[in-house]
Amino acid sequence: KHSLLSLSVQVYGTTAYVRTVSRGHFTPPPQVDSGIIAVRNITRNNFTEHTVSEDHFFTLLHYGFAQKRKQLLGNLVEQGGYTREQLLQLFSTLNLPPTVRAEDVSLETWLQLASTLFASAAATSYPQL
């Protein structure tokens, strides 16, 4: 499962788990242990390879994760102002089921979705991100 935070980190680099920091190292102790991750190979290449700006990508991510338990299609219609028909066609092209949730979409698919919506917005009636 992905989150807004995990995708935001992954789009810039490769993540690796370093170690766990137990809850006893904090005052007051939280309910869960924490983890340290390293981000390597930091780059903006994902944006240039997919011809999408960082602003458009992150705007789309925020639309998709606006209401966590909602399906992605509903969030994009509600938040982004796209029509259901436009998105169903795009989802079909990207092999995304219409019932998919934002947390189940890979980084690569998010980048393709953002790139396609951005390119289509310039040529059709898709709203600008």
Side-chain angles (χ1 to χ4, degrees):
K1 301 282 182 192
H2 297 282
S3 68
L4 185 60
L5 177 60
S6 72
L7 290 165
S8 297
V9 173
Q10 289 174 32
V11 76
Y12 288 109
T14 306
T15 59
Y17 170 79
V18 176
R19 67 179 289 201
T20 299
V21 179
S22 73
R23 61 191 94 186
H25 286 88
F26 299 93
T27 303
Q31 297 292 319
V32 295
D33 293 334
S34 296
I36 300 172
I37 61 165
V39 182
R40 297 186 172 94
N41 304 320
I42 297 172
T43 179
R44 286 190 163 95
N45 288 349
N46 277 320
F47 301 108
T48 55
E49 289 172 10
H50 291 277
T51 321
V52 64
S53 74
E54 293 173 67
D55 287 341
H56 288 108
F57 175 76
F58 285 109
T59 298
L60 187 65
L61 271 186
H62 282 277
Y63 289 165
F65 282 95
Q67 293 184 28
K68 185 176 179 180
R69 294 307 307 157
K70 262 191 141 172
Q71 294 174 351
L72 178 59
L73 183 68
N75 276 341
L76 293 180
V77 168
E78 213 172 90
Q79 300 293 318
Y82 300 100
T83 68
R84 185 174 179 80
E85 294 74 27
Q86 290 169 322
L87 290 171
L88 283 171
Q89 181 180 358
L90 178 56
F91 276 34
S92 175
T93 302
L94 296 175
N95 294 319
L96 279 175
T99 57
V100 71
R101 296 188 191 283
E103 63 197 27
D104 297 320
V105 177
S106 70
L107 173 62
E108 181 64 27
T109 303
W110 274 109
L111 286 163
Q112 290 173 342
L113 187 60
S115 177
T116 304
L117 285 173
F118 178 64
S120 297
T124 68
S125 60
Y126 284 123
Q128 286 286 337
L129 293 176

